[in-house]
């Protein structure tokens, strides 16, 4: 008897699942017709990478190479250089988007919040060489996602030009022995 | 003259069935998409209706590669065998009274059984000749599945034959004038449907192919037109098996008096839809479970059905 009941139950469960799949005909389609209809992406979506600048228009990047060394696909390459104030900046900065896996580790590693990932995924191109973005392609003239953060207010090297730091919140003398921030 | 006419109509039907089989692949993708809340192919042509031409062009221009480690001749003929057998299955279907292409009226059902058993050969041959462990696994599974379903496929057909007292498909259809066979023989219909799913290697009985485990099984080494032949032959066999079911259980061309062909086509299309619906909803069981299901469940049910049918036929006659 139990055997028969089992068989009937299983049979009806199969028929029920077939029926529920059939009902889907009348439901709304889930597909977003992409090129005609854009999807809504969230601000933390990891897409195209940009290099941001601070509010004075200086590069935030200090060419520390942390992003290049953390990058699992080794697609960042950059060269450090020093400006007149003794601060370093990247002489060139290249990201190979044909190899980038958009993991966002570079953004996590960056101490100055210079490198950031935007919710823009429409990067496709016909030639692979065009996917290597130079510094001019990467740089944007605002602060991106992290507005108020300024690396030089918590750390950095001594400025040679004392006038520069008067009207900015840059600290001139960072006590490197102090534990508290 | 008559022979020429016959030849032309047969040729026309072969072309038609092949095109239908090709279209069914798109039809299936579309229906599967609709059942899964997607849209399906809708870019090429009007709502994706031209997708088939894109697919055919692609398959024609694919490199037709014969692996150097294969047994060339067998490798070459097994898709042809598969294609021909699935095409032959269509010829025994009567479109209206006494009109079927292959005039083997007295052994129609037996011819179907023969083709269902023969269709395994193309799979065995392709699996063996490919010299690839996945295709060998696929054909081993196909064999084990065949010795399972073949038995209850035959037995469930037997009770229909007892009921209508003829091997002739036309007679079987005419015997359903008052009531379709599906009503008195409902259990039998279920068993036969399961067996015919296995004949066409459809989900959930697509053991020989099972993309997820053995990556397309017996036709993994095939490409280009040879793969296309396997592909189309599967769809043609869906068509012919559904037409056969509609003849055996749903009264074939009976129904609306003046449009026998339309009746048959409608029933066939509904059954094809059922095949696709089953594919969309039921996952594939493990292959030893299919074998035990076949032997321990379908086989006794079809035997029981056979005996009870024979009993009732004896009592009433
Ligand atoms: S997102 Fe990941 S892969 Fe891309 S550049 Fe940054 S670290 Fe490298
Ligand atoms: S981690 Fe940030 S600051 Fe360092 S090199 Fe990369 S982008 Fe520049």
């Amino acid at each position: 008897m139990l055997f028969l009941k089992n068989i009937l139950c299983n049979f009806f469960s199969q028929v029920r699942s077939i029926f529920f799949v059939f009902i889907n005909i009348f439901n709304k389609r889930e597909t977003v017709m992409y090129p005609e209809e854009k999807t809504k992406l969230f601000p933390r979506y990891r897409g195209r990478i940009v290099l941001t600048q601070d509010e004075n228009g200086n590069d935030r990047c200090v060419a520390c190479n942390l992003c290049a060394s953390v990058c699992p696909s080794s697609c960042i390459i950059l060269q450090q250089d020093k400006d007149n104030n003794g601060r370093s900046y990247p002489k060139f900065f290249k990201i190979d988007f044909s190899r980038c896996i958009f993991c966002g580790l570079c953004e996590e590693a960056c101490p100055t919040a210079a490198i950031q990932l935007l919710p823009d995924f429409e990067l496709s191109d016909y030639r692979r060489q065009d996917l290597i973005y130079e510094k001019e392609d990467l740089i944007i003239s605002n602060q991106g996602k992290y507005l108020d953060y300024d690396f030089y207010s918590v750390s950095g090297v001594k400025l040679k030009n004392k006038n520069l730091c008067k009207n900015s919140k840059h600290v001139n003398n960072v006590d490197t022995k102090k534990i508290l921030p | 003259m008559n022979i020429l006419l016959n030849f032309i109509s047969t040729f026309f039907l072969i072309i038609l069935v092949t095109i239908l089989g090709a279209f069914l692949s798109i039809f299936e993708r579309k229906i599967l998409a609709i059942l899964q809340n997607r849209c399906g192919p809708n870019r090429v042509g009007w709502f994706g209706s031209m997708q088939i031409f894109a697919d055919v062009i692609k398959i024609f221009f694919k490199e037709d590669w014969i692996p150097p480690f294969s047994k060339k001749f067998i490798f070459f003929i097994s898709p042809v065998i598969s294609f021909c057998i699935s095409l032959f299955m269509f010829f025994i279907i009567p479109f209206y009274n006494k009109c079927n292409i292959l005039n083997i009226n007295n052994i129609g059902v037996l011819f179907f059984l023969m083709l269902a058993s023969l269709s395994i050969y193309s799979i065995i041959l392709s699996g063996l000749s490919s010299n690839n462990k996945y295709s060998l696994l696929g054909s081993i599974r196909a064999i084990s599945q065949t010795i399972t379903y073949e038995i209850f496929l035959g037995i469930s057909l037997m009770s229909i034959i007892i009921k209508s007292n003829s091997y002739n498909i036309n007679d079987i259809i005419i015997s359903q004038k008052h009531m379709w066979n599906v009503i008195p023989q409902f259990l039998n219909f279920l068993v036969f449907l399961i067996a015919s799913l296995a004949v066409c290697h459809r989900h959930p009985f697509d053991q020989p192919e099972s993309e997820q485990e053995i990556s397309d099984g017996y036709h993994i080494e095939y490409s280009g037109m040879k793969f296309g032949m396997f592909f189309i032959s599967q769809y043609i066999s869906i068509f012919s098996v559904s037409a056969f079911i509609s003849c055996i259980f749903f009264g074939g061309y009976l129904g609306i008096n003046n449009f026998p062909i339309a009746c048959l086509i409608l029933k066939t299309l509904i059954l094809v839809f059922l095949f696709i619906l089953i594919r969309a909803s039921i996952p594939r069981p493990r292959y030893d479970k299919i074998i035990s299901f076949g032997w321990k469940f379908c086989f006794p049910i079809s035997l029981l059905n056979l005996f009870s049918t024979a009993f009732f036929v004896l009592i009433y006659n």
Side-chain angles (χ1 to χ4, degrees), chain A residues 50-51 60-68 70 76 78 90 93 106-107 109-116:
Chain A
V50 291
L51 282 176
R60 265 176 168 174
C61 177
V62 293
C64 64
N65 254 317
L66 281 177
C67 52
V70 79
I76 302 180
L78 63 123
F93 198 108
C106 48
E107 180 174 2
C110 182
T112 65
I115 193 164
Q116 291 176 14

Side-chain angles (χ1 to χ4, degrees), chain A residues 3 7 11 14 17-19 21-31 33-36, chain B residues 33-40 42-43 186 190 273-274 277-278 280-283 296-297:
Chain A
F3 178 65
I7 288 172
F11 178 70
Q14 300 291 334
S17 62
I18 292 177
F19 174 73
V21 172
F22 179 73
I23 284 294
N24 269 339
I25 286 187
F26 308 108
N27 286 359
K28 202 175 141 283
R29 309 291 91 180
E30 298 287 347
T31 316
M33 288 296 165
Y34 162 60
E36 292 98 41
Chain B
I34 288 171
L35 290 172
Q36 293 165 349
N37 276 350
R38 296 181 284 118
C39 294
N42 61 355
R43 293 285 149 173
F186 185 69
L190 288 182
F273 177 76
L274 185 68
L277 182 64
I278 288 174
S281 39
I282 299 181
K296 290 184 186 156
F297 190 71

